[in-house]
Amino acid sequence: RCEDDRTISLEVTWAANQAETQEFVARGTDAGATLELGGEALTLYRSGTQGTDHNLDATLTEGSIDDTGWEGSDKRFLEAVAEGRPPELNTVEQALTVQRVIDAIYRSAERGSSVSLE
């Protein structure tokens, strides 16, 4: 639960009784999106005030599909090191934020109540 009453739901697993997928889904009040990592199609969903929801198909045109996953991440990291610059993606600050959220999830589960990231 976020300060502004938004809810975040994370489902992450490496060992589940289901087909392997690299699907990312974002759901919002007015719209949503689905992306299969390494794929070329991004499906956008938007809600309408009349009739059923409208699904829009979009093709990714920016960036390289080859730069996804661990291989792409490793490539970008090594390029940044070779060029003596900080990485553009997955910065130390971003990693620390992700770790703080994960730690808060564990603390919340142990306590059975919400915890603050502050």
Side-chain angles (χ1 to χ4, degrees):
R1 184 178 356 187
C2 298
E3 184 175 343
D4 59 2
D5 284 335
R6 292 182 187 174
T7 302
I8 299 171
S9 173
L10 300 174
E11 295 179 24
V12 180
T13 183
W14 57 269
N17 295 320
Q18 66 185 40
E20 184 176 330
T21 180
Q22 291 291 319
E23 182 179 60
F24 292 85
V25 178
R27 294 182 183 100
T29 304
D30 298 319
T34 302
L35 171 69
E36 179 75 25
L37 186 63
E40 296 181 13
L42 170 68
T43 302
L44 304 174
Y45 306 95
R46 66 175 178 204
S47 59
T49 57
Q50 298 176 344
T52 61
D53 292 349
H54 305 281
N55 296 338
L56 305 172
D57 289 327
T59 301
L60 299 177
T61 57
E62 190 170 322
S64 171
I65 299 300
D66 295 333
D67 283 346
T68 61
W70 295 114
E71 185 176 338
S73 179
D74 292 347
K75 177 183 170 190
R76 287 187 301 275
F77 174 76
L78 292 173
E79 286 172 354
V81 170
E83 295 171 12
R85 61 175 171 76
E88 295 173 14
L89 300 174
N90 304 324
T91 64
V92 171
E93 292 80 15
Q94 290 170 331
L96 184 56
T97 298
V98 169
Q99 191 60 52
R100 284 183 175 143
V101 170
I102 292 170
D103 289 344
I105 291 169
Y106 280 112
R107 285 196 319 263
S108 175
E110 288 172 357
R111 294 181 188 174
S113 63
S114 299
V115 296
S116 176
L117 292 179
E118 301 199 10

Short mmCIF file of all heavy atoms in Angstrom, two decimals, residues 14-58:
data_model
loop_
_atom_site.label_atom_id
_atom_site.label_comp_id
_atom_site.label_asym_id
_atom_site.label_seq_id
_atom_site.Cartn_x
_atom_site.Cartn_y
_atom_site.Cartn_z
N TRP A 14 10.86 -18.13 -9.20
CA TRP A 14 11.75 -18.87 -10.09
C TRP A 14 11.44 -20.35 -10.03
O TRP A 14 11.94 -21.12 -10.82
CB TRP A 14 13.22 -18.62 -9.73
CG TRP A 14 13.56 -18.97 -8.32
CD1 TRP A 14 13.51 -18.15 -7.24
CD2 TRP A 14 13.97 -20.25 -7.83
NE1 TRP A 14 13.85 -18.84 -6.10
CE2 TRP A 14 14.16 -20.14 -6.44
CE3 TRP A 14 14.20 -21.49 -8.43
CZ2 TRP A 14 14.56 -21.20 -5.65
CZ3 TRP A 14 14.60 -22.54 -7.62
CH2 TRP A 14 14.78 -22.38 -6.27
N ALA A 15 10.61 -20.76 -9.11
CA ALA A 15 10.26 -22.17 -8.98
C ALA A 15 8.76 -22.29 -8.69
O ALA A 15 8.35 -22.27 -7.54
CB ALA A 15 11.06 -22.83 -7.87
N ALA A 16 7.96 -22.38 -9.72
CA ALA A 16 6.52 -22.50 -9.56
C ALA A 16 6.00 -23.58 -10.50
O ALA A 16 6.63 -23.90 -11.50
CB ALA A 16 5.83 -21.18 -9.87
N ASN A 17 4.89 -24.14 -10.17
CA ASN A 17 4.28 -25.17 -11.00
C ASN A 17 3.46 -24.51 -12.11
O ASN A 17 2.23 -24.58 -12.13
CB ASN A 17 3.41 -26.09 -10.16
CG ASN A 17 4.25 -26.85 -9.16
OD1 ASN A 17 5.35 -27.29 -9.49
ND2 ASN A 17 3.75 -27.00 -7.95
N GLN A 18 4.16 -23.88 -13.02
CA GLN A 18 3.53 -23.21 -14.15
C GLN A 18 4.54 -23.08 -15.27
O GLN A 18 5.74 -23.27 -15.06
CB GLN A 18 3.00 -21.83 -13.76
CG GLN A 18 4.12 -20.85 -13.39
CD GLN A 18 3.59 -19.53 -12.90
OE1 GLN A 18 2.62 -19.49 -12.16
NE2 GLN A 18 4.22 -18.44 -13.30
N ALA A 19 4.04 -22.77 -16.46
CA ALA A 19 4.94 -22.59 -17.59
C ALA A 19 5.83 -21.37 -17.36
O ALA A 19 5.42 -20.38 -16.76
CB ALA A 19 4.12 -22.39 -18.87
N GLU A 20 7.08 -21.47 -17.80
CA GLU A 20 8.02 -20.37 -17.65
C GLU A 20 7.58 -19.20 -18.51
O GLU A 20 7.16 -19.37 -19.66
CB GLU A 20 9.42 -20.82 -18.07
CG GLU A 20 10.46 -19.75 -17.85
CD GLU A 20 11.86 -20.24 -18.16
OE1 GLU A 20 12.13 -21.43 -18.01
OE2 GLU A 20 12.68 -19.39 -18.57
N THR A 21 7.66 -18.01 -17.97
CA THR A 21 7.28 -16.80 -18.70
C THR A 21 8.15 -15.64 -18.25
O THR A 21 8.67 -15.65 -17.13
CB THR A 21 5.78 -16.46 -18.50
OG1 THR A 21 5.49 -15.27 -19.23
CG2 THR A 21 5.46 -16.26 -17.05
N GLN A 22 8.32 -14.71 -19.11
CA GLN A 22 9.02 -13.46 -18.79
C GLN A 22 8.06 -12.30 -19.05
O GLN A 22 8.43 -11.28 -19.59
CB GLN A 22 10.28 -13.32 -19.65
CG GLN A 22 11.38 -14.29 -19.33
CD GLN A 22 12.01 -14.02 -17.98
OE1 GLN A 22 12.25 -12.88 -17.61
NE2 GLN A 22 12.26 -15.07 -17.22
N GLU A 23 6.82 -12.50 -18.66
CA GLU A 23 5.78 -11.53 -18.95
C GLU A 23 5.72 -10.47 -17.85
O GLU A 23 5.79 -10.77 -16.68
CB GLU A 23 4.43 -12.23 -19.05
CG GLU A 23 3.29 -11.31 -19.40
CD GLU A 23 1.98 -12.04 -19.51
OE1 GLU A 23 1.54 -12.65 -18.52
OE2 GLU A 23 1.40 -12.01 -20.60
N PHE A 24 5.59 -9.23 -18.29
CA PHE A 24 5.42 -8.11 -17.38
C PHE A 24 4.05 -7.51 -17.64
O PHE A 24 3.70 -7.25 -18.78
CB PHE A 24 6.51 -7.05 -17.62
CG PHE A 24 7.87 -7.52 -17.22
CD1 PHE A 24 8.65 -8.26 -18.11
CD2 PHE A 24 8.37 -7.24 -15.97
CE1 PHE A 24 9.90 -8.71 -17.75
CE2 PHE A 24 9.63 -7.69 -15.60
CZ PHE A 24 10.39 -8.43 -16.49
N VAL A 25 3.29 -7.31 -16.59
CA VAL A 25 1.94 -6.78 -16.71
C VAL A 25 1.82 -5.57 -15.79
O VAL A 25 2.20 -5.63 -14.62
CB VAL A 25 0.89 -7.84 -16.31
CG1 VAL A 25 -0.52 -7.27 -16.40
CG2 VAL A 25 1.02 -9.08 -17.18
N ALA A 26 1.31 -4.50 -16.32
CA ALA A 26 1.01 -3.30 -15.52
C ALA A 26 -0.48 -3.04 -15.64
O ALA A 26 -1.03 -3.04 -16.74
CB ALA A 26 1.80 -2.10 -16.04
N ARG A 27 -1.13 -2.86 -14.50
CA ARG A 27 -2.56 -2.59 -14.50
C ARG A 27 -2.81 -1.31 -13.73
O ARG A 27 -2.34 -1.14 -12.61
CB ARG A 27 -3.32 -3.74 -13.83
CG ARG A 27 -3.23 -5.03 -14.58
CD ARG A 27 -4.05 -6.12 -13.87
NE ARG A 27 -3.92 -7.39 -14.56
CZ ARG A 27 -3.11 -8.37 -14.18
NH1 ARG A 27 -2.36 -8.21 -13.11
NH2 ARG A 27 -3.05 -9.49 -14.85
N GLY A 28 -3.56 -0.43 -14.35
CA GLY A 28 -3.89 0.83 -13.70
C GLY A 28 -5.39 1.07 -13.75
O GLY A 28 -6.15 0.26 -14.28
N THR A 29 -5.80 2.18 -13.20
CA THR A 29 -7.22 2.52 -13.17
C THR A 29 -7.76 2.77 -14.57
O THR A 29 -8.86 2.34 -14.90
CB THR A 29 -7.42 3.80 -12.32
OG1 THR A 29 -6.86 3.56 -11.03
CG2 THR A 29 -8.88 4.15 -12.18
N ASP A 30 -6.98 3.44 -15.42
CA ASP A 30 -7.46 3.83 -16.74
C ASP A 30 -6.82 3.05 -17.88
O ASP A 30 -7.29 3.11 -19.01
CB ASP A 30 -7.21 5.32 -16.97
CG ASP A 30 -7.97 6.17 -15.97
OD1 ASP A 30 -9.12 5.83 -15.67
OD2 ASP A 30 -7.39 7.16 -15.48
N ALA A 31 -5.74 2.34 -17.60
CA ALA A 31 -5.04 1.64 -18.67
C ALA A 31 -4.13 0.56 -18.10
O ALA A 31 -3.93 0.49 -16.89
CB ALA A 31 -4.21 2.63 -19.50
N GLY A 32 -3.59 -0.25 -18.99
CA GLY A 32 -2.67 -1.30 -18.60
C GLY A 32 -1.82 -1.70 -19.78
O GLY A 32 -2.01 -1.21 -20.90
N ALA A 33 -0.87 -2.60 -19.56
CA ALA A 33 0.02 -3.04 -20.64
C ALA A 33 0.57 -4.41 -20.30
O ALA A 33 0.70 -4.78 -19.13
CB ALA A 33 1.16 -2.05 -20.82
N THR A 34 0.89 -5.18 -21.35
CA THR A 34 1.52 -6.48 -21.20
C THR A 34 2.71 -6.53 -22.16
O THR A 34 2.59 -6.14 -23.32
CB THR A 34 0.54 -7.62 -21.55
OG1 THR A 34 -0.59 -7.52 -20.71
CG2 THR A 34 1.19 -8.97 -21.36
N LEU A 35 3.83 -7.01 -21.65
CA LEU A 35 5.05 -7.14 -22.46
C LEU A 35 5.73 -8.44 -22.11
O LEU A 35 5.95 -8.73 -20.93
CB LEU A 35 6.01 -5.98 -22.19
CG LEU A 35 7.40 -6.09 -22.81
CD1 LEU A 35 7.32 -5.96 -24.33
CD2 LEU A 35 8.33 -5.04 -22.24
N GLU A 36 6.06 -9.23 -23.10
CA GLU A 36 6.85 -10.45 -22.91
C GLU A 36 8.30 -10.06 -23.17
O GLU A 36 8.64 -9.62 -24.26
CB GLU A 36 6.40 -11.55 -23.88
CG GLU A 36 7.19 -12.83 -23.76
CD GLU A 36 6.84 -13.65 -22.53
OE1 GLU A 36 5.73 -13.53 -21.99
OE2 GLU A 36 7.71 -14.43 -22.09
N LEU A 37 9.15 -10.17 -22.15
CA LEU A 37 10.56 -9.80 -22.28
C LEU A 37 11.19 -10.57 -23.42
O LEU A 37 11.06 -11.79 -23.51
CB LEU A 37 11.31 -10.08 -20.98
CG LEU A 37 12.76 -9.61 -20.92
CD1 LEU A 37 12.83 -8.10 -21.06
CD2 LEU A 37 13.40 -10.03 -19.63
N GLY A 38 11.85 -9.88 -24.32
CA GLY A 38 12.46 -10.50 -25.49
C GLY A 38 11.52 -10.55 -26.68
O GLY A 38 11.94 -10.87 -27.79
N GLY A 39 10.28 -10.20 -26.48
CA GLY A 39 9.32 -10.18 -27.57
C GLY A 39 9.31 -8.83 -28.27
O GLY A 39 10.01 -7.91 -27.89
N GLU A 40 8.51 -8.74 -29.28
CA GLU A 40 8.45 -7.49 -30.04
C GLU A 40 7.12 -6.79 -29.90
O GLU A 40 6.94 -5.70 -30.43
CB GLU A 40 8.73 -7.78 -31.52
CG GLU A 40 10.13 -8.31 -31.76
CD GLU A 40 10.40 -8.56 -33.23
OE1 GLU A 40 9.62 -8.12 -34.07
OE2 GLU A 40 11.41 -9.20 -33.52
N ALA A 41 6.16 -7.37 -29.21
CA ALA A 41 4.84 -6.78 -29.11
C ALA A 41 4.55 -6.29 -27.71
O ALA A 41 4.79 -6.99 -26.73
CB ALA A 41 3.77 -7.79 -29.53
N LEU A 42 4.05 -5.10 -27.64
CA LEU A 42 3.58 -4.50 -26.40
C LEU A 42 2.08 -4.30 -26.58
O LEU A 42 1.65 -3.64 -27.52
CB LEU A 42 4.27 -3.16 -26.15
CG LEU A 42 3.73 -2.30 -25.01
CD1 LEU A 42 4.00 -2.97 -23.68
CD2 LEU A 42 4.37 -0.93 -25.05
N THR A 43 1.29 -4.91 -25.72
CA THR A 43 -0.16 -4.75 -25.81
C THR A 43 -0.60 -3.75 -24.76
O THR A 43 -0.29 -3.91 -23.58
CB THR A 43 -0.89 -6.09 -25.61
OG1 THR A 43 -0.42 -7.02 -26.59
CG2 THR A 43 -2.39 -5.92 -25.77
N LEU A 44 -1.28 -2.73 -25.20
CA LEU A 44 -1.79 -1.70 -24.31
C LEU A 44 -3.28 -1.91 -24.14
O LEU A 44 -3.99 -2.23 -25.09
CB LEU A 44 -1.53 -0.31 -24.89
CG LEU A 44 -0.08 0.02 -25.21
CD1 LEU A 44 0.03 1.36 -25.91
CD2 LEU A 44 0.77 0.01 -23.96
N TYR A 45 -3.76 -1.73 -22.94
CA TYR A 45 -5.19 -1.86 -22.64
C TYR A 45 -5.66 -0.53 -22.08
O TYR A 45 -5.00 0.05 -21.23
CB TYR A 45 -5.42 -2.94 -21.57
CG TYR A 45 -4.82 -4.27 -21.91
CD1 TYR A 45 -3.57 -4.63 -21.44
CD2 TYR A 45 -5.50 -5.16 -22.73
CE1 TYR A 45 -3.01 -5.85 -21.76
CE2 TYR A 45 -4.95 -6.39 -23.06
CZ TYR A 45 -3.70 -6.73 -22.57
OH TYR A 45 -3.15 -7.93 -22.90
N ARG A 46 -6.76 -0.06 -22.58
CA ARG A 46 -7.32 1.16 -22.01
C ARG A 46 -8.81 0.95 -21.80
O ARG A 46 -9.47 0.25 -22.57
CB ARG A 46 -7.05 2.37 -22.88
CG ARG A 46 -7.75 2.33 -24.22
CD ARG A 46 -7.55 3.60 -24.99
NE ARG A 46 -8.22 3.43 -26.29
CZ ARG A 46 -7.92 4.08 -27.36
NH1 ARG A 46 -6.95 4.95 -27.33
NH2 ARG A 46 -8.58 3.88 -28.48
N SER A 47 -9.31 1.54 -20.75
CA SER A 47 -10.72 1.37 -20.46
C SER A 47 -11.51 2.48 -21.13
O SER A 47 -11.02 3.59 -21.32
CB SER A 47 -10.95 1.38 -18.94
OG SER A 47 -10.49 2.58 -18.39
N GLY A 48 -12.71 2.13 -21.49
CA GLY A 48 -13.59 3.10 -22.11
C GLY A 48 -14.81 3.32 -21.24
O GLY A 48 -15.09 2.57 -20.32
N THR A 49 -15.55 4.36 -21.54
CA THR A 49 -16.75 4.65 -20.76
C THR A 49 -17.97 3.96 -21.37
O THR A 49 -19.01 3.92 -20.75
CB THR A 49 -16.99 6.16 -20.69
OG1 THR A 49 -17.09 6.68 -22.02
CG2 THR A 49 -15.86 6.85 -19.95
N GLN A 50 -17.82 3.42 -22.56
CA GLN A 50 -18.93 2.72 -23.21
C GLN A 50 -18.43 1.39 -23.74
O GLN A 50 -17.33 1.30 -24.28
CB GLN A 50 -19.48 3.54 -24.37
CG GLN A 50 -20.04 4.88 -23.95
CD GLN A 50 -20.48 5.69 -25.15
OE1 GLN A 50 -20.11 5.40 -26.27
NE2 GLN A 50 -21.27 6.72 -24.90
N GLY A 51 -19.22 0.37 -23.61
CA GLY A 51 -18.85 -0.93 -24.16
C GLY A 51 -17.72 -1.58 -23.40
O GLY A 51 -17.48 -1.31 -22.22
N THR A 52 -16.98 -2.44 -24.08
CA THR A 52 -15.89 -3.18 -23.45
C THR A 52 -14.58 -2.42 -23.55
O THR A 52 -14.46 -1.44 -24.28
CB THR A 52 -15.71 -4.55 -24.13
OG1 THR A 52 -15.39 -4.33 -25.51
CG2 THR A 52 -16.98 -5.37 -24.03
N ASP A 53 -13.58 -2.90 -22.80
CA ASP A 53 -12.25 -2.28 -22.88
C ASP A 53 -11.69 -2.42 -24.28
O ASP A 53 -12.03 -3.34 -25.02
CB ASP A 53 -11.29 -2.97 -21.89
CG ASP A 53 -11.68 -2.68 -20.45
OD1 ASP A 53 -12.54 -1.82 -20.22
OD2 ASP A 53 -11.12 -3.33 -19.57
N HIS A 54 -10.80 -1.54 -24.62
CA HIS A 54 -10.19 -1.54 -25.95
C HIS A 54 -8.75 -2.01 -25.82
O HIS A 54 -8.00 -1.50 -24.99
CB HIS A 54 -10.22 -0.13 -26.54
CG HIS A 54 -11.59 0.47 -26.57
ND1 HIS A 54 -12.51 0.15 -27.52
CD2 HIS A 54 -12.20 1.33 -25.73
CE1 HIS A 54 -13.63 0.81 -27.30
NE2 HIS A 54 -13.47 1.53 -26.21
N ASN A 55 -8.34 -2.98 -26.61
CA ASN A 55 -6.96 -3.46 -26.62
C ASN A 55 -6.26 -2.88 -27.83
O ASN A 55 -6.76 -2.94 -28.94
CB ASN A 55 -6.91 -4.99 -26.70
CG ASN A 55 -7.54 -5.63 -25.48
OD1 ASN A 55 -7.64 -5.01 -24.44
ND2 ASN A 55 -7.94 -6.86 -25.61
N LEU A 56 -5.09 -2.35 -27.62
CA LEU A 56 -4.29 -1.80 -28.70
C LEU A 56 -3.00 -2.59 -28.80
O LEU A 56 -2.34 -2.81 -27.79
CB LEU A 56 -3.96 -0.32 -28.42
CG LEU A 56 -5.14 0.61 -28.15
CD1 LEU A 56 -4.62 1.97 -27.70
CD2 LEU A 56 -5.98 0.75 -29.39
N ASP A 57 -2.61 -3.01 -29.98
CA ASP A 57 -1.32 -3.67 -30.17
C ASP A 57 -0.30 -2.63 -30.61
O ASP A 57 -0.58 -1.78 -31.44
CB ASP A 57 -1.40 -4.76 -31.25
CG ASP A 57 -2.18 -5.96 -30.76
OD1 ASP A 57 -2.11 -6.23 -29.55
OD2 ASP A 57 -2.85 -6.60 -31.56
N ALA A 58 0.86 -2.69 -30.04
CA ALA A 58 1.92 -1.75 -30.40
C ALA A 58 3.18 -2.56 -30.68
O ALA A 58 3.41 -3.60 -30.07
CB ALA A 58 2.17 -0.76 -29.27
#
